[in-house]
Amino acid sequence: MILLNPGPVNLSERVRHTLLHAELCHREPEFYDLQDTIRQGLLEIYTLDPERWAPILLAGSGTAAMEAMVTSLVPSQGKVLVIENGVYGERFSRITQTHGIPYTVQRHAWGEAVDLEALAHTLETEPQLSHVAVVHHETTTGRLNDVARIGSLCKARGVHLLVDAVSSFGAEALDFEGWGITACAGTAHKCLHGVAGTSFVILRRDALPSAEARPHTLYLDLDHYCRAQDQRDIPFTPAVPSYCALAEALDELAEQGGWQARREQYRQLTQQGQKGLEQIGIGPLLPDRDSSVVLRAYRLPPGFSYNRLHDGLKQRGFIIYAGQGPLTPEIFRIAVMGTLSPKEMDRFLTSVAQVLETG
Ligand SMILES: *Cc1c(COP(=O)(O)O)cnc(C)c1O
């Protein structure tokens, strides 16, 4: 089955193969070697200095990394401004709300650009704000939010920036220093082409909470994980097979030319997909200039339900992805993560045409 959902992804042979050799005790040196390799590999993708940046590995999906950032880093007298323009921005709000952390929301319609003037105004008029939380690639619609400009507004006010890069880390530009990022959440099973079960936060070391700070969480306490992992240790049982796959996937990414090469590969596949779909009358929700290379949302053909399209394509070996919330009846989504090839994309386009013809 070819997976066109935004993770988990189709694995390369070499990454899949690691799963056969994943019986490993996490209290042995071999495991800590693996952990060190992954931590180093994650920093190398964006050439981050290990003295300044801490990669912190967690067991859990991408949401665990989002929740870890918010619950570990926002102090008790802090307040978060959440920027929402899709499902994942809204998830940040639900996390802060769940933990009783003071927050305020800058809300946009799904798919809309972030209003930078409004953001500047809020940062100016609410001095108690300590953190801004924003999604880089809002997978709901495929929009790539302008974290560079959001970050420079935060920097000017001395506000920490928490970024959900779960569906962009490894395949889009992320300028940690230049954009003023404090912490960034990512996961193994999207653009890094690993296996679900491990997520991570890349945290600026000088933003680690002090030892006396009381985090809002036990299991997701980044300080606890970071201290342990810096000393070749780990607080709790990790997703060992996911570690094995991630180490190999990071090697593969480096050999293939890093995030820039992956971005170009995704760009070409997405362009091929979009061109082909446009030829059969299916257009994108957002213009190219607002979109990531990773995923496109397309408008469903008039009179054609998502389920009919999905089921017809599944019969032909392809999994597409539904819209969420109010977009459910309007769109479907195509992600190009994983081992997807131009040939497979061609077969996909032929299959879409067949499904539309035969109903
Ligand atoms: C996939 C995704 C997440 C996390 O989802 P999980 O199901 O917890 O892995 C978070 N943010 C974005 C932008 C995502 O695309």
Side-chain angles (χ1 to χ4, degrees):
M1 198 62 81
I2 301 209
L3 303 177
L4 301 172
N5 50 291
V9 301
N10 289 117
L11 303 175
S12 69
E13 264 321 307
R14 62 190 269 194
V15 170
R16 186 181 299 124
H17 193 73
T18 62
L19 300 177
L20 294 173
H21 304 279
E23 288 169 77
L24 204 59
C25 172
H26 65 291
R27 300 284 175 210
E28 292 295 323
E30 301 81 60
F31 175 79
Y32 295 124
D33 290 346
L34 189 65
Q35 180 166 270
D36 287 346
T37 306
I38 294 171
R39 297 183 83 215
Q40 190 185 339
L42 288 174
L43 292 187
E44 280 170 2
I45 298 174
Y46 292 103
T47 46
L48 298 175
D49 175 1
E51 298 284 319
R52 198 162 144 72
W53 295 91
I56 305 170
L57 304 177
L58 304 165
S61 72
T63 305
M66 295 172 72
E67 191 157 355
M69 289 197 300
V70 173
T71 54
S72 305
L73 301 179
V74 181
S76 44
Q77 70 284 13
K79 184 174 180 181
V80 185
L81 169 63
V82 177
I83 299 177
E84 290 182 357
N85 60 353
V87 168
Y88 297 100
E90 291 180 8
R91 187 166 297 176
F92 264 135
S93 295
R94 285 173 58 203
I95 290 168
T96 47
Q97 187 183 33
T98 300
H99 293 277
I101 296 167
Y103 75 105
T104 182
V105 179
Q106 178 170 323
R107 188 169 290 128
H108 309 82
W110 286 8
E112 231 174 56
V114 174
D115 182 341
L116 295 166
E117 266 176 47
L119 176 60
H121 180 75
T122 309
L123 289 172
E124 207 161 300
T125 52
E126 292 205 43
Q128 69 275 39
L129 287 173
S130 57
H131 292 71
V132 165
V134 70
V135 177
H136 184 212
H137 171 215
E138 186 41 274
T139 322
T140 314
T141 57
R143 173 176 283 279
L144 198 61
N145 284 320
D146 191 347
V147 177
R149 295 179 67 192
I150 292 165
S152 68
L153 292 175
C154 293
K155 248 204 297 200
R157 288 269 147 199
V159 170
H160 287 291
L161 180 62
L162 308 179
V163 179
D164 168 355
V166 171
S167 66
S168 53
F169 192 98
E172 292 282 359
L174 277 165
D175 181 355
F176 283 72
E177 297 285 353
W179 298 356
I181 294 173
T182 295
C184 172
T187 194
H189 68 276
K190 295 199 184 185
C191 307
L192 296 179
H193 297 183
V195 170
T198 301
S199 59
F200 55 87
V201 173
I202 311 274
L203 172 64
R204 223 179 54 220
R205 285 189 178 273
D206 61 16
L208 263 174
S210 63
E212 317 82 67
R214 293 248 314 271
H216 300 261
T217 177
L218 170 82
Y219 191 71
L220 296 174
D221 178 8
L222 288 175
D223 182 50
H224 189 190
Y225 280 89
C226 188
R227 284 171 202 277
Q229 291 177 1
D230 280 349
Q231 294 161 27
R232 287 171 63 83
D233 194 357
I234 190 163
F236 311 109
T237 311
V240 176
S242 170
Y243 261 55
C244 295
L246 181 55
E248 189 70 25
L250 291 174
D251 267 354
E252 191 176 49
L253 174 61
E255 284 168 29
Q256 289 173 350
W259 72 265
Q260 296 92 336
R262 183 146 297 169
R263 183 172 190 280
E264 180 55 21
Q265 179 201 331
Y266 282 7
R267 193 190 63 75
Q268 288 180 17
L269 282 165
T270 290
Q271 193 182 42
Q272 180 189 353
Q274 181 165 327
K275 260 192 177 159
L277 289 172
E278 278 172 342
Q279 277 169 10
I280 49 178
I282 295 175
L285 179 73
L286 297 180
D288 281 1
R289 64 181 147 76
D290 294 337
S291 302
S292 77
V293 297
V294 180
L295 173 142
R296 280 285 185 289
Y298 295 97
R299 294 195 181 281
L300 283 161
F304 218 89
S305 75
Y306 173 78
N307 286 341
R308 254 169 87 198
L309 186 61
H310 168 272
D311 295 356
L313 286 166
K314 189 168 183 181
Q315 269 179 12
R316 290 165 172 80
F318 297 94
I319 300 292
I320 60 169
Y321 211 52
Q324 290 157 293
L327 290 174
T328 308
E330 291 179 37
I331 66 164
F332 66 99
R333 291 177 289 169
I334 301 296
V336 297
M337 300 164 184
T339 56
L340 185 69
S341 69
K343 235 189 208 155
E344 289 166 337
M345 179 56 89
D346 261 340
R347 271 210 295 122
F348 168 71
L349 292 167
T350 310
S351 302
V352 176
Q354 284 171 356
V355 172
L356 291 191
E357 270 166 31
T358 58

